[in-house]
Amino acid sequence: MTAPLIELRDVSKSFGGVRALAGVSLAIGRGEIHCLAGENGSGKSTLIKIIAGVHRPDEGTLRIDGDEVTTLDPITAIGHGVQVIYQDFSLFPALTVAENLALPSEVQARRRLVSWSGVRKRARAALARLGVAIDLAATVETLTTAERQLVAIARALISAPRLLIMDEPTTALTGREVARLFAIVRDIQAQGIAVLFVSHKMREMLDISERITVLRNGAVVAEGAADGFDEATLTRAMTGQDFAAQSYRWTRQDARPARLELRGLAVPGVLAPIDAAFHAGEIIGITGLLGSGRTDLALTLFGMRPEYQGEIRIDGTPVALRSVAAAIAAGLAYVPEDRLTEGLFLTQSIHRNLLATSYAAMTRHLLIDFARAHADADADAMMEQMRITTRNGDLPVVALSGGNQQRVLIGRWLMGMARVLILNGPTVGVDIGSKADIHARIRERAREGDLAVLLISDDLPEIIQTCNRVLVMHRGRLVEECDTAALTDTGMAEKLKALS
Amino acid sequence: MSFLSLRRSETVIALVLIAAMVLIGLINPAFWSLSNLFSLARSNVIVGLMALGVLMVMISGGIDVSFPAFAVAAMYLTIRAMLAWDWHGVIGPFALATAIGFALGLVNAFFVSRLRMIPLIVTLGTAAAVRGGLLGLVGTSQINIDRMPQALIDFGNTTLITRAGPGGTHFGLSAMIVVYLLAALLVHFFLTHTLLGRGVYALGSAAEAARRVGFNPTVIVFAVYGLAGALAGFAGLLHGSMIWLANPRDFVGVELDVIAAVVLGGASIFGGRGSVLGTLLGVFMLVMVSNSLILMHIATTWQRIVVGGIIIIATTATALRDRRQIV
């Protein structure tokens, strides 16, 4: 048996005292499609960067073709035939497709002068090899994400690699583009090139790979042929937990008026009159197809549709939610869908992000009184409650993983003493483990924090597991309302399909 | 990509330029007089040489406001050295001025690249330090025509064509325009035909990607700031020889004109974009507009307003262009 193309043995790596990889072993055979699975922060990126020569392992050995390699830097890694396609593709947006394709090989050949006819010739050949047609003279910034990815793949193939590492290649692709990508990956494999496919999407991994290695907390927790895995075993390996489908239960225990009551709430042309009541402690799912009006309902409640008609009552008292400020004052909190652009101050610290809506309450005579408000202690307590993985509240939010960022955003509104929390797609782009934990936090807060939670989502299993009740909206009207206890994923999907 | 495509910024600038020339010519036909055109060409030289340097820095994703200070330092130090050592000739002094500018440019590069500081702040700082150092350590006295080295004056006075003007005077097309165009050709070759030049675009377009591809960002940063300094040093001495005067307080506020010209020429303030042809057109446009205010019977005090306006409009236009293409 010949030695594997690349073999790592007992590789460890720490960054400033944080252990990213602990004794990881991994072997990639020639021409094999190997999947590296793991959640965000499991050490996948570190492992890729070790193979690519960006990081040097603290301990352990790296063998290529059976020979131990002790000094690996990016250039020698490329020399050994390792090519990485990073998530951002590492392309030059302002340069043409032709130059993007040819530039790396020109640099590696240590040329001094550029031959433009050679650039175009090589670029044309590279695209022909993939069998795709993209205008060579177009600048990369004018391409779609899928086209950019093809350029990145074509570029990697120019240097005749033996191992192509693709970091989360499907993140920004549509279903059809993913299928096309997979056909290309298989084609690459047919040329004898091994592919290391890094992902956390289970269906894709099972679909494309021959072998799977699962990382968790910097260690290999499962490894084997892809046929030996199914979604359940992969999930268990990636998260270390079983996620039993058990939906949220809530029963009314007192005769208090509803936390939020809508009486004929309507927005002309957008929402048909809605009557509904939500109680404290409830988690109510709101779903529907695109254009169902579910986000409009959320925005209306958050004071962003001041032209609304009808009546809104909170704890039995009518309120006028004609502005965001009025909605916040009434105890409404809204966590938008796009947390990166609409919700978080990415470069600011976790503490500041958590406290962003609390400053008004802490302010007296235009000055923020931090001491009086014990702001830091409160923020620390919220970090604990939301189980944000770091204890350092001074860290910028941008340093956190997606799941943790989302917790900061939810935590911020909980600090502001919200009475109704509206979450729009709270786990979009969050990995499974984090997702389950965010769901657990939402339930806990609903129960203990005496909150009514409205959860808007496309993710039907999420709604059925997390909510006690679900509202289905369609074209601006509330078309159905039922208890989740009586529902299954498929039953729910059928209902939605029937609408379209 | 067609040469005349409206998607090329150069084509757009050229069209605007032609329109502006027609307009100015209509207001005052004296614009088209040979003497005005010659003097216009001459005014392009110094701003243009400096703009070529700034263009390279801007494509790499940086900015340089220190070059006028470097130009003054190179000019004044070189002429003082020529006087002190009774040094004649042209090539030697220009080599020295260029070297002084180059060395100062490397100081910028060191702070930007090794200490990872913001280029605007670094170059503001080096500009102030160099100007202050020059006046404090070297001298504040102006060197007038009576003491200027004759070789420099002769060189700066070289003309390609001369014509007799009214009243027995002569005017000519300065040969310095050849020096300028030659420098432009060299920079164009550097940016488009050398791998280091393409590295300048790559770094300005996506720094991390440039690193991953195997470009050495340190080398690129040293090259662009060094070359910008060298061009400024050269332009400084050339300026002195063209106006027969070495004033250690010269070139104040020139950075604005030059940056305006480069941005007008389609270079992106975000880096990664820009061309020599565009810059030549941008410089011509800026110099023409500010020189023609007099021809158009507009008070010269308006000149600064025009330059400021050009910067804002051109920057906005290129920023909008870049944003549209990114989305």
Side-chain angles (χ1 to χ4, degrees), chain A residues 133-455:
Chain A
I134 297 173
D135 180 10
L136 286 176
T139 51
V140 162
E141 64 208 347
T142 61
L143 302 183
T144 66
T145 309
E147 286 173 326
R148 287 178 203 203
Q149 185 172 51
L150 292 174
V151 171
I153 295 174
R155 179 171 82 169
L157 292 180
I158 284 188
S159 52
R162 297 193 299 153
L163 171 64
L164 191 62
I165 302 177
M166 303 177 88
D167 190 4
E168 308 266 1
T170 59
T171 312
L173 300 188
T174 64
R176 190 179 301 166
E177 288 165 344
V178 170
R180 186 179 181 200
L181 173 71
F182 282 3
I184 284 173
V185 168
R186 293 205 178 89
D187 196 44
I188 290 170
Q189 181 194 24
Q191 299 173 24
I193 300 166
V195 178
L196 181 63
F197 195 90
V198 182
S199 180
H200 63 241
K201 295 191 185 165
M202 286 172 302
R203 219 155 280 165
E204 288 172 4
M205 294 188 282
L206 292 169
D207 194 17
I208 188 86
S209 50
E210 295 166 314
R211 290 188 76 78
I212 298 180
T213 298
V214 185
L215 282 183
R216 190 171 75 228
N217 297 329
V220 174
V221 288
E223 197 275 333
D227 340 342
F229 287 95
D230 59 29
E231 284 199 33
T233 52
L234 254 184
T235 309
R236 200 174 307 125
M238 282 166 68
T239 61
Q241 313 163 30
D242 277 311
F243 297 102
Q246 189 193 34
S247 48
Y248 182 70
R249 296 280 169 272
W250 177 85
T251 44
R252 196 164 176 183
Q253 283 155 344
D254 49 35
R256 284 190 299 171
R259 171 51 50 85
L260 176 67
E261 193 179 347
L262 314 178
R263 294 188 179 179
L265 178 73
V267 177
V270 182
L271 288 179
I274 293 176
D275 290 290
F278 312 115
H279 293 269
E282 270 199 295
I283 304 177
I284 302 101
I286 302 178
T287 190
L289 304 165
L290 203 69
S292 62
R294 52 185 205 185
T295 300
D296 296 288
L297 175 61
L299 295 178
T300 309
L301 293 176
F302 201 53
M304 293 169 85
R305 295 274 186 273
E307 73 275 23
Y308 76 84
Q309 300 163 352
E311 191 180 66
I312 301 172
R313 285 170 178 247
I314 288 189
D315 292 332
T317 322
V319 288
L321 305 179
R322 305 283 172 189
S323 70
V324 173
I328 292 176
L332 278 132
Y334 177 55
V335 179
E337 212 163 2
D338 189 346
R339 61 176 176 270
L340 298 185
T341 58
E342 290 178 29
L344 289 168
F345 307 104
L346 285 177
T347 55
Q348 297 280 334
S349 71
I350 299 173
H351 272 180
R352 285 194 170 183
N353 269 285
L354 280 172
L355 294 168
T357 50
S358 316
Y359 285 129
M362 290 154 50
T363 307
R364 205 176 352 182
H365 309 309
L366 293 176
L367 293 177
I368 297 176
D369 187 347
F370 283 96
R372 183 174 63 97
H374 0 265
D376 284 355
D378 288 354
D380 276 334
M382 184 49 70
M383 285 173 68
E384 177 91 40
Q385 266 181 26
M386 292 308 292
R387 300 207 194 147
I388 291 162
T389 46
T390 176
R391 286 281 156 268
N392 179 2
D394 294 330
L395 232 66
V397 164
V398 70
L400 297 176
S401 68
N404 279 304
Q405 291 182 351
Q406 191 68 6
R407 287 171 217 220
V408 171
L409 194 52
I410 298 173
R412 171 202 294 169
W413 288 105
L414 296 176
M415 294 204 59
M417 298 298 137
R419 296 196 279 179
V420 178
L421 177 65
I422 308 168
L423 301 165
N424 198 349
T427 57
V428 171
V430 169
D431 57 56
I432 324 162
S434 248
K435 196 167 161 178
D437 201 51
I438 287 177
H439 291 160
R441 298 283 82 72
I442 295 173
R443 293 168 176 213
E444 196 180 287
R445 288 293 99 209
R447 231 178 231 130
E448 294 169 15
D450 202 30
L451 270 174
V453 179
L454 301 185
L455 193 156

Side-chain angles (χ1 to χ4, degrees), chain B residues 81-149:
Chain B
M82 290 174 78
L83 295 177
W85 304 330
D86 198 22
W87 188 19
H88 299 287
V90 172
I91 294 172
F94 271 102
L96 177 65
T98 308
I100 292 171
F102 183 67
L104 289 170
L106 295 186
V107 175
N108 279 340
F110 173 78
F111 284 108
V112 170
S113 152
R114 306 314 308 173
L115 304 182
R116 293 169 191 283
M117 281 157 63
I118 300 164
L120 179 65
I121 306 300
V122 168
T123 53
L124 271 173
T126 50
V130 165
R131 273 195 191 278
L134 188 70
L135 295 173
L137 302 174
V138 186
T140 55
S141 63
Q142 192 167 304
I143 296 162
N144 291 318
I145 183 164
D146 52 328
R147 291 174 58 219
M148 275 294 277

Side-chain angles (χ1 to χ4, degrees), chain A residues 90 99 112 114 116 141, chain B residues 192-193 195 198 212 273 325:
Chain A
S90 287
E99 196 166 10
R112 293 197 181 281
V114 184
W116 284 97
E141 64 208 347
Chain B
T192 55
H193 285 79
L195 210 56
R198 297 320 289 171
R212 284 181 189 152
R273 247 182 280 258
Q325 291 183 345

